[in-house]
């Protein structure tokens, strides 16, 4: 009878040891999973912080540029859009615009360096890198209708397509 009780007690001990080992393995697996989740969270947090710092630095740089350009408006060059009358049928738009620019900038070479784009379809004109003084001189030239600073606008569409639902 004693042997049988020993055998009976040994069987539960083995299963208890096995269960204990399984619990330890499960605990290790959970620690590994937990540590990899923590690592992922820390990685994403690090990326978020890096992006935030980068955006803040870009915004600070933009403020510095805008502040420095507002302090000396006569020397800072910017892109201006120049609306002109339609050139004669025989004249090429680009050469006509270059000669208009050259009359203010002093040479055709300087005009070529300043010219950004020539508008031919919806409007007649061009865009060029000019100082505010050059832009005001250009506006006085014959055939020039208007000179305006080029602006980049950002659309704010809210939440997008969800606003269109009724």
């Amino acid at each position: 009878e004693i042997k049988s009780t020993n055998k009976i007690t040994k069987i539960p001990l083995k299963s208890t040891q096995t269960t204990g080992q399984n619990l330890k393995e499960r605990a290790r697996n959970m620690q590994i999973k937990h540590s990899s989740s923590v690592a992922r969270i820390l990685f994403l947090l690090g990326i978020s912080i890096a992006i935030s710092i980068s955006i803040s630095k870009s915004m600070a740089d933009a403020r510095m540029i805008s502040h420095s350009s507002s302090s000396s408006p006569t020397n800072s060059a910017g892109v201006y859009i120049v609306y002109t009358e339609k050139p004669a049928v025989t004249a090429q738009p680009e050469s006509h615009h270059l000669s208009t620019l050259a009359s203010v900038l002093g040479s055709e070479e300087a005009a070529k360096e300043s010219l950004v784009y020539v508008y031919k379809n919806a409007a007649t004109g061009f865009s060029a890198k000019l100082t505010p003084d050059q832009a005001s001189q250009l506006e006085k030239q014959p055939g020039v209708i208007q000179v305006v600073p080029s602006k980049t606008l950002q659309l704010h569409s809210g939440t997008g397509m969800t606003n269109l639902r009724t």
Side-chain angles (χ1 to χ4, degrees), residues 56-74:
S56 297
K57 186 175 181 334
S58 297
M59 290 175 70
D61 290 346
R63 281 190 212 113
M64 291 290 288
I65 289 169
S66 97
H67 178 68
S68 67
S69 67
S70 65
S71 63
S72 60
T74 55

Side-chain angles (χ1 to χ4, degrees), residues 85-97:
E85 294 175 357
K86 194 169 188 173
V89 178
T90 58
Q92 292 293 324
E94 188 169 346
S95 62
H96 176 73
H97 300 319

Side-chain angles (χ1 to χ4, degrees), residues 36-54:
S36 66
S37 296
V38 169
R40 285 184 190 138
I41 290 170
L42 289 175
F43 176 75
L44 292 174
L45 183 62
I47 288 176
S48 298
I49 291 171
I51 290 171
S52 176
I53 290 170
S54 175

Side-chain angles (χ1 to χ4, degrees), residues 74-136:
T74 55
N75 296 333
S76 64
V79 177
Y80 287 81
I81 299 173
V82 181
Y83 296 96
T84 63
E85 294 175 357
K86 194 169 188 173
V89 178
T90 58
Q92 292 293 324
E94 188 169 346
S95 62
H96 176 73
H97 300 319
L98 282 173
S99 65
T100 304
L101 256 178
S103 68
V104 171
L105 300 180
S107 72
E108 192 170 319
E109 191 63 35
K112 285 180 182 178
E113 288 178 20
S114 175
L115 189 67
V116 175
Y117 189 79
V118 174
Y119 301 99
K120 304 175 196 173
N121 298 323
T124 303
F126 58 93
S127 57
K129 294 177 191 169
L130 304 167
T131 65
D133 291 340
Q134 292 169 333
S136 78

